[in-house]
Amino acid sequence: MVNWKKCLPHLRVLPEDEFLRESLEATAPSVSELEEERHSVTDKDASDKNASAINSSSDVIDVEDGQSIAYNKLKKNTPYELRNESNRPWWKFFDEYEYRLNKEYRKSRKWYEFLYPNHTTQSPSERRLLYKLDIMIAFYFFMLSWSKSVDSNNYTNAYVSNMKEDLKMKGNDYIHTSTISNVGAIVFQLPFMYLLPRFPAHLLLPVMDLGWTWFTFACYRVKTLHELQGYRFILNAFGAAYYPVSQYIMGCWYAPDEISSRVCLFFCGNLLGGVTSGLLQGRIFKSLDGVHGLAGWRWMFLIDAIAISLPTAILGFFVIPGIPSKCYSLFLTDEEIRIARIRNKRNQINDGVDKSKLKPLWNRSLWKKVFCNPTFWVLGIFDVCSWNNMTAFSGSYALWLKANKKYSIVQVNNLSVLPACLGFAYVFFCAFGADLFRCKWFFMVFAAIMNTASCAILIKWNVNSKAKWYAFLTTYFSVAASPCLWSFINDFLRFDPQVKAITWIAIYSFSQSTNAWIPNLAWQTTESPKFHTGYTVSLIFGVIYGLWTFVVLFFYKKNEKKHALGNGIILYNEEKGETPPAFIETDLELRSDGYYYVR
């Protein structure tokens, strides 16, 4: 008889996990002893064609000299580059992966393999794992992002499709309703500081999505502006988990030179939602306006909820795999889960901690660890600038089209998708370029330059028609670098899951809160369609964003230098009177390929 429970997501407990739990209960040995025992079990269970590839990254030796940091461990069968920092050229500051990758790792990837790198340290099974992850995680979050974007953009499309007249909206009611919606998302994000490290994401996200779906459906029946504002507030409260949880999960499965391309799919889903919403609304308004006594914009909310949001929520329950250390996947094999865990060891990613080891959320030392770290403030400013330079989501382009009397409502909805369509190319250019060239900062600065140029033209406003169209059609450069930004954040925070959860939510909530009140001042509907203040504010944040990228790069390089040994690089500087560390003689041996290996 088939056990039907196996068809539902359940915690995947590997033999070594069970052995570790029993050992803890029976003898409570030291952490180092548990590591030895766990690896011996792994060796036994994984004795197939991939065993050597997996175990090569499993055995570790703690370094007890000046380079001893929690994640700086020597790994067996891993090549170590001995690097003298004397006479280091100034331009090395711009080499983002200087301390992230050693020479062996750099040369072992062909340029055309950047999506599925087959380094000498990897096995064919690892590539198959990436294929599966792209379907289960990257493609699913693409669908989820598309679903959320359709629902969000539908508000603007409904507004220009007679919702304004039907609900008697006037003055700044449009932007005030958007602000109220954002407040709902901000307030209800905060509990995820506690929930993220403790509860499985394959339950958190789908449950929240079901709430989002219900209140999207409810929007079709609104009779008054206040009723709409109430529904949009609750709807966005249920959508609070969507951004941070999805990025938290992706950061637990992908390596730093893989993640930007996958986050790119997430943002492409966002852009596709903008395109889909405009085209759907245009078609629905034309075909269903007045059918069964319902206005066209009401039909859009109905279709969003039943045909788009609901299936996505149900699918998430089955495909979201949790994290490698606490995997709930129905589709990954035990071997692939082991490989994912070894990948995280190789990339120094700590994806999860047992609940019993998590500090209480009110623990003072935990918050001190978050707020007394410059990483929090550097990334916080970075994210605030990213949120507030986004002219693409201001709705200004659609309102400009509506103010132009030569376009009908259907034409306004159809033309409103043009910037988002071009946005696909901008996002792909920046995200894929970042992974291909292993250089996020360049594409972030480039996108900031393009965005500020767009804002400058729109501030001038009285320009010829071609220049104005160019400016509107390049506004999506304001979001093009977002995959690079989120990749940076994931890489900064990969060492401590609890600090990562708190920092992610705090940064995101604070940034979104500024985006709740700044547009209220800068993008007042009464200034439509010129929005001189809005474009000026976006230009200022865009300039800061581009310049702040170099500050982030400085702290990133500083952080990775501390963890260089864990990245396969042994550093010393003869100019400062330093010599190669003592453990080279005691624990390592130099082989014919020019790299050091654990004896």
Side-chain angles (χ1 to χ4, degrees):
M1 184 176 178
V2 178
N3 185 357
W4 62 270
K5 292 183 179 179
K6 290 185 178 180
C7 298
L8 298 176
H10 55 279
L11 182 62
R12 298 285 297 278
V13 180
L14 275 57
E16 56 266 34
D17 298 335
E18 188 65 27
F19 181 83
L20 183 62
R21 184 186 64 80
E22 291 174 356
S23 299
L24 280 169
E25 292 175 353
T27 60
S30 66
V31 174
S32 59
E33 290 172 337
L34 286 174
E35 281 289 304
E36 273 184 41
E37 292 174 340
R38 186 177 71 80
H39 294 318
S40 66
V41 174
T42 304
D43 293 344
K44 182 179 179 181
D45 292 338
S47 56
D48 61 6
K49 62 181 180 180
N50 297 310
S52 60
I54 295 172
N55 296 330
S56 66
S57 299
S58 299
D59 300 305
V60 296
I61 298 175
D62 286 314
V63 178
E64 300 295 342
D65 70 352
Q67 293 202 43
S68 179
I69 300 178
Y71 296 94
N72 279 344
K73 297 180 178 181
L74 297 177
K75 308 178 186 73
K76 287 187 177 180
N77 297 323
T78 296
Y80 285 89
E81 172 193 349
L82 181 62
R83 184 183 298 176
N84 184 357
E85 291 251 281
S86 299
N87 301 316
R88 175 175 170 266
W90 64 268
W91 47 264
K92 272 292 185 181
F93 170 80
F94 300 101
D95 182 359
E96 189 176 307
Y97 279 69
E98 180 183 6
Y99 302 113
R100 197 70 173 90
L101 304 175
N102 63 21
K103 288 181 179 179
E104 185 279 333
Y105 197 83
R106 284 177 182 268
K107 74 180 182 181
S108 63
R109 184 193 77 171
K110 302 293 189 298
W111 70 267
Y112 53 82
E113 294 179 329
F114 73 99
L115 279 180
Y116 299 100
N118 192 20
H119 303 289
T120 57
T121 53
Q122 293 178 320
S123 67
S125 295
E126 185 164 353
R127 181 173 289 206
R128 286 195 296 270
L129 171 65
L130 278 173
Y131 293 150
K132 282 191 176 182
L133 292 179
D134 282 351
I135 296 173
M136 294 167 51
I137 298 178
F139 183 69
Y140 173 73
F141 283 132
F142 165 81
M143 292 176 57
L144 182 66
S145 179
W146 168 70
S147 169
K148 292 290 182 290
S149 182
V150 168
D151 293 347
S152 299
N153 280 283
N154 186 41
Y155 168 65
T156 300
N157 292 116
Y159 180 82
V160 299
S161 301
N162 292 340
M163 184 177 75
K164 173 185 175 182
E165 292 77 11
D166 290 353
L167 299 185
K168 297 180 174 58
M169 299 173 72
K170 56 187 178 180
N172 289 317
D173 286 342
Y174 170 83
I175 192 64
H176 288 162
T177 303
S178 296
T179 302
I180 290 170
S181 302
N182 288 335
V183 170
I186 294 163
V187 172
F188 285 90
Q189 275 168 7
L190 301 179
F192 286 90
M193 291 181 180
Y194 176 84
L195 297 173
L196 257 181
R198 290 174 170 83
F199 295 93
H202 83 283
L203 294 177
L204 285 176
L205 267 183
V207 169
M208 298 294 283
D209 281 347
L210 288 174
W212 170 285
T213 300
W214 175 253
F215 282 95
T216 299
F217 176 82
C219 284
Y220 99 91
R221 62 175 299 278
V222 294
K223 300 292 193 299
T224 65
L225 173 61
H226 295 305
E227 191 177 359
L228 174 68
Q229 290 172 341
Y231 286 152
R232 298 298 290 184
F233 175 87
I234 301 174
L235 183 151
N236 278 272
F238 277 106
Y242 145 64
Y243 267 105
V245 175
S246 59
Q247 299 310 305
Y248 184 93
I249 294 172
M250 294 180 84
C252 290
W253 289 93
Y254 288 108
D257 57 346
E258 300 164 353
I259 193 169
S260 292
S261 303
R262 276 68 186 189
V263 178
C264 169
L265 290 178
F266 180 90
F267 275 90
C268 284
N270 206 328
L271 300 180
L272 183 62
V275 173
T276 307
S277 181
L279 294 176
L280 275 177
Q281 184 64 63
R283 182 63 181 172
I284 288 170
F285 189 90
K286 183 177 181 180
S287 304
L288 295 176
D289 187 34
V291 174
H292 298 300
L294 294 179
W297 61 268
R298 295 183 186 273
W299 278 107
M300 185 60 179
F301 286 119
L302 280 171
I303 293 171
D304 279 355
I306 297 172
I308 298 175
S309 296
L310 184 59
T312 308
I314 295 172
L315 185 62
F317 178 75
F318 292 95
V319 301
I320 297 174
I323 57 179
S325 60
K326 297 176 183 176
C327 185
Y328 290 82
S329 177
L330 296 174
F331 308 105
L332 296 179
T333 65
D334 287 355
E335 190 66 15
E336 288 165 340
I337 296 172
R338 289 190 183 99
I339 293 172
R341 293 176 179 179
I342 299 310
R343 276 166 50 87
N344 281 356
K345 279 186 172 295
R346 189 171 69 231
N347 292 298
Q348 303 188 79
I349 298 172
N350 187 7
D351 60 44
V353 176
D354 190 83
K355 285 185 181 181
S356 62
K357 297 180 181 178
L358 292 172
K359 295 179 181 178
L361 193 59
W362 54 86
N363 185 286
R364 185 177 179 182
S365 64
L366 178 61
W367 289 95
K368 186 177 179 181
K369 194 174 181 179
V370 173
F371 291 122
C372 292
N373 191 329
T375 294
F376 175 83
W377 304 101
V378 169
L379 294 179
I381 294 173
F382 208 25
D383 203 38
V384 167
C385 293
S386 173
W387 270 87
N388 291 289
N389 86 118
M390 290 188 181
T391 52
F393 298 141
S394 65
S396 56
Y397 171 65
L399 295 175
W400 173 67
L401 289 174
K402 184 175 175 62
N404 196 326
K405 300 302 182 183
K406 70 178 181 179
Y407 299 123
S408 67
I409 289 178
V410 173
Q411 287 176 314
V412 167
N413 279 291
N414 289 336
L415 288 172
S416 68
V417 306
L418 287 177
C421 289
L422 291 171
F424 282 105
Y426 307 154
V427 172
F428 269 95
F429 173 75
C430 292
F432 280 69
D435 278 353
L436 174 61
F437 296 103
R438 288 174 172 154
C439 184
K440 294 185 285 291
W441 71 264
F442 173 82
F443 293 94
M444 300 184 84
V445 171
F446 177 80
I449 292 172
M450 295 297 292
N451 182 48
T452 52
S454 167
C455 290
I457 293 172
L458 293 172
I459 289 170
K460 176 72 173 174
W461 192 257
N462 293 322
V463 295
N464 63 55
S465 178
K466 290 182 179 179
K468 191 172 291 185
W469 271 102
Y470 168 82
F472 276 121
L473 295 180
T474 54
T475 54
Y476 269 78
F477 268 109
S478 62
V479 301
S482 295
C484 303
L485 167 67
W486 288 16
S487 177
F488 256 134
I489 294 175
N490 264 313
D491 219 12
F492 264 105
L493 303 176
R494 69 186 189 273
F495 302 105
D496 188 326
Q498 193 169 18
V499 171
K500 178 181 179 179
I502 292 173
T503 305
W504 250 120
I505 300 297
I507 288 173
Y508 191 80
S509 298
F510 180 74
S511 301
Q512 194 174 15
S513 68
T514 64
N515 194 247
W517 62 267
I518 288 178
N520 235 0
L521 301 176
W523 297 94
Q524 294 194 13
T525 315
T526 51
E527 286 193 26
S528 175
K530 292 186 177 181
F531 293 111
H532 182 272
T533 306
Y535 294 125
T536 303
V537 170
S538 291
L539 184 143
I540 293 170
F541 277 108
V543 170
I544 298 173
Y545 185 59
L547 296 176
W548 197 256
T549 302
F550 296 105
V551 178
V552 174
L553 180 62
F554 170 79
F555 279 95
Y556 178 75
K557 297 287 295 287
K558 184 178 179 181
N559 191 48
E560 290 308 318
K561 189 174 182 179
K562 291 179 183 178
H563 299 89
L565 183 61
N567 293 328
I569 304 168
I570 304 169
L571 296 174
Y572 73 102
N573 193 328
E574 282 184 347
E575 288 182 345
K576 297 181 180 180
E578 297 174 359
T579 58
F583 65 80
I584 289 182
E585 299 295 331
T586 59
D587 296 312
L588 302 179
E589 63 179 3
L590 181 63
R591 296 184 185 174
S592 58
D593 60 2
Y595 297 102
Y596 288 86
Y597 293 82
V598 174
R599 294 181 188 277

